[in-house]
Amino acid sequence: MTDAAITIRILIADDHPIVRDGLSAVLSTQPDFEVVGEATNGEELLTKAQALNPTIILTDLEMPIIDGVEAIKRLHDTLPAVRIIVLTAFNTDDKIVSSIRAGAQGYLLKGAPRAEIFNAIRTVAAGGSLLSPVVVSTLLEHVRDPQADAPDTLTEREMEVLRLIAQGLANKEIAAQLNVTERTVKAHASAIMGKLGAGNRTEAVRMAVQRGLIEL
């Protein structure tokens, strides 16, 4: 068997250049890995995936233009042979379940040992799946509690954000109240709109009121 036949072609997607550079350097130490490209946002990920035809896509979830979950859905539809591993800081239930449902075959948290990342890439490239222990625990909880998978089930933090959105607060103000970053608030707002099927924040508030989730 030739080296080309066993090379795992990897496309990295993350909006932080330091993360991309670090991953590329670490993965390049492995003789069977080839980093074929990098993407800085979800839209670029879709374009480069089509052009480069990687074996594995290693992607974050929170990215500009098109978020990771939506990008995974589109990739799963257009390039079903490409295998996808999520490597992210998000360990919330909705992110984990949404990613797996969208078509990801692996889910690791940033900070995972490099040996675990190498193993995940090789396992997923060979047709398997690999989830970190916290992800497995979350999925098991959703199996035990099917209601947790309901599309309109918001987490406690998402409800907090929704109530503040309903009060007319901007992301910066919400972030200050909850002592989180604006980036985190945006991620929660996006998840809220996705779960409620809303096109914007105003519509999300209206739908939440109609469903009795909040009161104005």
Side-chain angles (χ1 to χ4, degrees):
M1 184 178 293
T2 65
D3 289 342
I6 61 172
T7 298
I8 298 174
R9 295 165 51 81
I10 303 168
L11 173 60
I12 299 169
D14 196 292
D15 61 335
H16 290 93
I18 292 178
V19 174
R20 295 196 308 274
D21 291 347
L23 281 172
S24 182
V26 168
L27 296 176
S28 295
T29 64
Q30 302 302 291
D32 55 333
F33 293 173
E34 179 188 1
V35 177
V36 296
E38 299 178 7
T40 62
N41 58 63
E43 185 176 66
E44 190 177 3
L45 169 57
L46 296 175
T47 301
K48 290 197 171 183
Q50 288 282 356
L52 299 172
N53 192 30
T55 314
I56 291 284
I57 290 173
L58 197 60
T59 183
D60 193 6
L61 291 180
E62 183 63 19
M63 292 190 294
I65 306 179
I66 299 174
D67 71 16
V69 173
E70 179 61 26
I72 292 170
K73 289 179 183 176
R74 298 189 193 183
L75 288 165
H76 190 62
D77 290 338
T78 58
L79 297 171
V82 175
R83 312 285 287 173
I84 302 170
I85 298 174
V86 172
L87 181 63
T88 185
F90 288 99
N91 64 350
T92 54
D93 293 7
D94 61 303
K95 292 290 186 183
I96 293 171
V97 174
S98 296
S99 299
I100 301 303
R101 282 178 164 176
Q105 289 86 20
Y107 196 114
L108 300 174
L109 298 180
K110 287 181 178 177
R114 63 178 61 189
E116 187 175 341
I117 297 174
F118 296 162
N119 182 48
I121 290 172
R122 293 185 176 109
T123 299
V124 172
S129 298
L130 197 148
L131 309 175
S132 66
V134 66
V135 174
V136 173
S137 297
T138 298
L139 292 177
L140 285 175
E141 286 301 316
H142 278 259
V143 169
R144 295 188 189 104
D145 181 13
Q147 182 60 29
D149 285 342
D152 60 352
T153 300
L154 302 182
T155 66
E156 183 176 345
R157 177 46 62 93
E158 286 167 356
M159 286 298 300
E160 288 180 311
V161 172
L162 178 59
R163 293 187 189 101
L164 294 174
I165 290 174
Q167 293 174 26
L169 273 64
N171 287 342
K172 185 175 182 179
E173 296 169 313
I174 296 173
Q177 284 216 21
L178 299 180
N179 196 29
V180 297
T181 65
E182 285 187 65
R183 180 188 177 94
T184 299
V185 174
K186 289 179 181 178
H188 286 313
S190 177
I192 291 166
M193 290 186 288
K195 289 181 177 182
L196 297 179
N200 54 53
R201 292 157 67 107
T202 302
E203 186 179 2
V205 171
R206 178 178 59 79
M207 296 176 72
V209 171
Q210 290 176 341
R211 298 185 188 188
L213 297 176
I214 61 172
E215 293 182 3
L216 295 178

